[in-house]
Amino acid sequence: MKISPIKSSENFKGLVIIPFFEMDESGQAISFESFSISKNLFLGKKDSQFIIEDKVSDRMFLLLGLGKEPSYKTIKTAFRRLTSKQENLFEKKVLVILEDKMDTDFLEAAVSGLVLGTYRLGHYKQSEKGPKNWSKVNISILSAIPEPKKIIEKGLKIADAQIETFHLVDLPPNKITPKYLADWAANAGKKFGFDVKVLDKKKAEKENLKAFLAVGQGSHREPQFIVMKYRSKSASKHIGLVGKGVTFDTGGLNIKTQGMVHMKCDMGGAAAVLGAMQLIADLQLNVNVSAVVPCVENAIDSHSFLPSDVIGSYSGKTIEIIDTDAEGRLILADGLSYLIQNYKPDTVIDFATLTGSAIGTFGYECAALFSKNEELSNNLKQSGEKIGERLWSLPMWDEYKTEMDSEIADIKNFHGKPYAGAITAAKFLEFFTENHTSWAHIDIAGTAFGDSEFAKTKHATAYGVHLLIKLLENL
């Protein structure tokens, strides 16, 4: 799909998309071109459409209702819905006409939505017709915004990174292995301009990444510890990122009794960080970023780590294993320690599909945020609110710290109680942050993978990719 600005709609033939904000019912009928549409037929209400075919001018007009004050997410979803559900209307040429009051955020959201709507889950489906060839579709944007080309390019890059993230989460676990993610990172680094170092099993053993290695020791798929660096000459901030990369989670010997079919999504945090690294480099943001993505498969065989094991960690601290299904925090512990000790970033943020407790608290509407740094928390919340990737704080009080006390080791990996699961998991991670004063943990268990109108089964959302970029742009 090619999207580009246009200065005039004269002599255009094909599909014309005109988005409308909702109008007052007491207002006049909508008028454009030679048409007048009664307010009883179309008012621009949210999720409404009206289609007119003009055979004289060889144009089809699609009026898109957005509501009175649509959010960034509303606009993005409305345009995504068009290419997702009405692809037959998109032939070779399409024109989108924006009103003067539709600003740069509107244009960015619209462009991203149009591209995201081309994504399909049928990666392995065979059919005679095959998927639509979107490369033949040219979309022109008529807008009064200054330099619309820059905004369009940014919207395209955001959508491209999010679609890459979709692929990483949605493809099956026999495809998305730790090695696949390591190779993906290496290729992306070469293409977009960031450095990548991968520690395989032998190198990880030399680095004493013991907690990371313990989780993967039951799988024949070798763990991969991915380290990425993006540097900008004009950067004034250094951000550290960590993403949980459990490519499939059986639960280990504490095997999951339900929902295992969806556990290919347990690398949603890794996918978010990988997608964000692509986008950070693609947009050439003025920030230095160091990122760690520990990738393992939590499988079961005679080598699997055991409940009641005591294992080491990169930090030197010992961990009592209460539950092998609390594995994500183990690889994050080594990821956080490695990042902070070796790269010393100003701010550290980790993303992980970590606990069902976060879903129990917030459902699928927002992610759970944990941080003792109020400025960082507020910046994350504000950034997420602007683009519809919401997150909200849960307490990090030290009273919860004692829940993770172990009598045999420095800490245990699970408190074994049916409450405060997301909070105690965050307190476990905090133990490995070297008392970093600007650290945030984001539990995306409910937001990285779920149901929506765009597929019949659960699928990736790319939550966190745009959130990070929005945050970094405002630092």
Side-chain angles (χ1 to χ4, degrees):
M1 179 187 289
K2 182 181 179 182
I3 303 180
S4 55
I6 193 173
K7 294 183 178 179
S8 172
S9 62
E10 189 176 356
N11 299 323
F12 178 85
K13 295 180 180 180
L15 175 65
V16 180
I17 299 170
I18 309 176
F20 283 90
F21 297 134
E22 184 176 349
M23 295 170 289
D24 195 305
E25 293 187 13
S26 61
Q28 298 179 349
I30 293 175
S31 297
F32 68 95
E33 300 280 330
S34 60
F35 299 99
S36 180
I37 301 171
S38 168
K39 61 185 179 182
N40 296 322
L41 295 176
F42 183 79
L43 271 174
K45 289 183 179 292
K46 186 174 177 289
D47 300 333
S48 65
Q49 289 185 13
F50 193 84
I51 297 177
I52 301 172
E53 187 172 12
D54 183 8
K55 293 183 179 180
V56 175
S57 63
D58 198 15
R59 292 185 180 187
M60 178 180 290
F61 295 92
L62 190 157
L63 281 58
L64 182 63
L66 298 170
K68 290 184 177 179
E69 296 180 1
S71 66
Y72 186 100
K73 185 177 181 180
T74 296
I75 297 162
K76 193 172 187 175
T77 301
F79 280 89
R80 182 179 179 183
R81 192 179 289 128
L82 294 177
T83 44
S84 176
K85 300 184 178 183
Q86 296 173 273
E87 66 173 44
N88 59 305
L89 296 179
F90 287 77
E91 296 181 350
K92 292 184 178 181
K93 292 185 178 181
V94 178
L95 171 64
V96 180
I97 301 176
L98 303 186
E99 295 181 19
D100 290 348
K101 56 185 176 182
M102 295 175 177
D103 59 11
T104 56
D105 283 343
F106 189 105
L107 177 55
E108 179 187 287
V111 169
S112 290
L114 287 168
V115 177
L116 292 179
T118 66
Y119 177 76
R120 303 289 184 270
L121 278 177
H123 302 292
Y124 296 95
K125 278 184 171 290
Q126 295 183 12
S127 64
E128 293 181 5
K129 185 179 178 182
K132 184 181 181 72
N133 186 354
W134 287 98
S135 65
K136 294 183 178 180
V137 177
N138 293 304
I139 298 180
S140 300
I141 307 284
L142 182 61
S143 169
I145 294 170
E147 298 186 272
K149 186 177 180 180
K150 289 184 178 180
I151 307 302
I152 291 170
E153 287 177 353
K154 184 181 178 184
L156 288 170
K157 289 177 179 180
I158 292 169
D160 287 344
Q162 290 178 320
I163 286 178
E164 281 296 314
T165 308
F166 289 170
H167 280 97
L168 293 177
V169 177
D170 286 332
L171 286 170
N174 57 330
K175 175 75 171 179
I176 305 297
T177 62
K179 185 64 167 62
Y180 182 99
L181 293 179
D183 290 343
W184 186 97
N187 291 331
K190 290 177 183 177
K191 181 178 179 180
F192 294 99
F194 57 89
D195 297 330
V196 179
K197 176 178 72 174
V198 178
L199 305 180
D200 58 16
K201 184 178 179 181
K202 288 184 179 180
K203 291 177 181 177
E205 287 173 344
K206 289 181 180 179
E207 291 284 356
N208 288 316
L209 294 163
K210 295 179 179 179
F212 163 71
L213 289 167
V215 178
Q217 69 189 40
S219 173
H220 73 280
R221 295 189 169 104
E222 190 171 294
Q224 306 282 303
F225 195 85
I226 305 168
V227 183
M228 298 170 284
K229 293 191 302 180
Y230 167 80
R231 297 293 182 263
S232 169
K233 293 180 180 179
S234 55
S236 59
K237 295 285 186 179
H238 181 193
I239 307 299
L241 303 175
V242 182
K244 173 188 169 184
V246 179
T247 58
F248 192 80
D249 182 22
T250 65
L253 290 174
N254 291 106
I255 194 165
K256 293 181 183 292
T257 57
Q258 59 181 0
M260 199 193 297
V261 69
H262 298 308
M263 284 301 103
K264 66 179 182 179
C265 79
D266 212 17
M267 42 67 69
V273 171
L274 291 169
M277 285 300 292
Q278 171 182 316
L279 188 52
I280 289 165
D282 202 9
L283 294 173
Q284 297 183 344
L285 297 186
N286 295 326
V287 63
N288 288 337
V289 182
S290 301
V292 170
V293 178
C295 301
V296 300
E297 183 181 76
N298 187 21
I300 301 171
D301 74 357
S302 60
H303 300 288
S304 298
F305 72 126
L306 310 174
S308 78
D309 271 356
V310 174
I311 64 173
S313 67
Y314 182 80
S315 68
K317 297 165 183 172
T318 56
I319 306 167
E320 180 186 6
I321 303 301
I322 303 299
D323 193 323
T324 61
D325 196 21
E327 86 299 331
R329 64 198 68 182
L330 299 176
I331 68 173
L332 287 173
D334 273 0
L336 287 165
S337 296
Y338 186 92
L339 175 73
I340 292 167
Q341 289 185 32
N342 291 288
Y343 294 96
K344 298 176 173 54
D346 302 318
T347 292
V348 178
I349 304 171
D350 73 76
F351 286 83
T353 51
L354 206 62
T355 67
S357 175
I359 301 175
T361 302
F362 292 122
Y364 302 95
E365 295 303 316
C366 75
L369 169 63
F370 299 88
S371 181
K372 289 182 176 178
N373 187 306
E374 288 190 17
E375 182 181 3
L376 177 58
S377 293
N378 289 334
N379 286 340
L380 280 164
K381 289 177 189 176
Q382 291 168 12
S383 298
E385 191 67 35
K386 288 176 182 177
I387 58 169
E389 293 188 9
R390 289 177 166 173
L391 60 169
W392 201 254
S393 298
L394 287 175
M396 283 290 284
W397 302 323
D398 285 338
E399 283 79 1
Y400 290 105
K401 184 178 180 181
T402 57
E403 294 285 344
M404 306 307 288
D405 288 346
S406 167
E407 290 191 302
I408 194 171
D410 292 321
I411 195 170
K412 58 187 177 183
N413 77 325
F414 181 55
H415 70 334
K417 299 173 184 177
Y419 57 78
I423 299 172
T424 52
K427 296 302 289 184
F428 175 87
L429 295 178
E430 184 185 36
F431 194 64
F432 297 90
T433 61
E434 313 293 332
N435 297 312
H436 202 289
T437 57
S438 182
W439 163 67
H441 160 57
I442 303 176
D443 191 333
I444 59 174
T447 55
F449 189 76
D451 297 308
S452 83
E453 64 183 275
F454 298 109
K456 295 178 181 178
T457 57
K458 290 182 181 295
H459 55 282
T461 66
Y463 180 99
V465 174
H466 197 183
L467 169 64
L468 274 172
I469 271 57
K470 203 70 179 176
L471 174 74
L472 297 181
E473 286 177 334
N474 295 326
L475 286 177

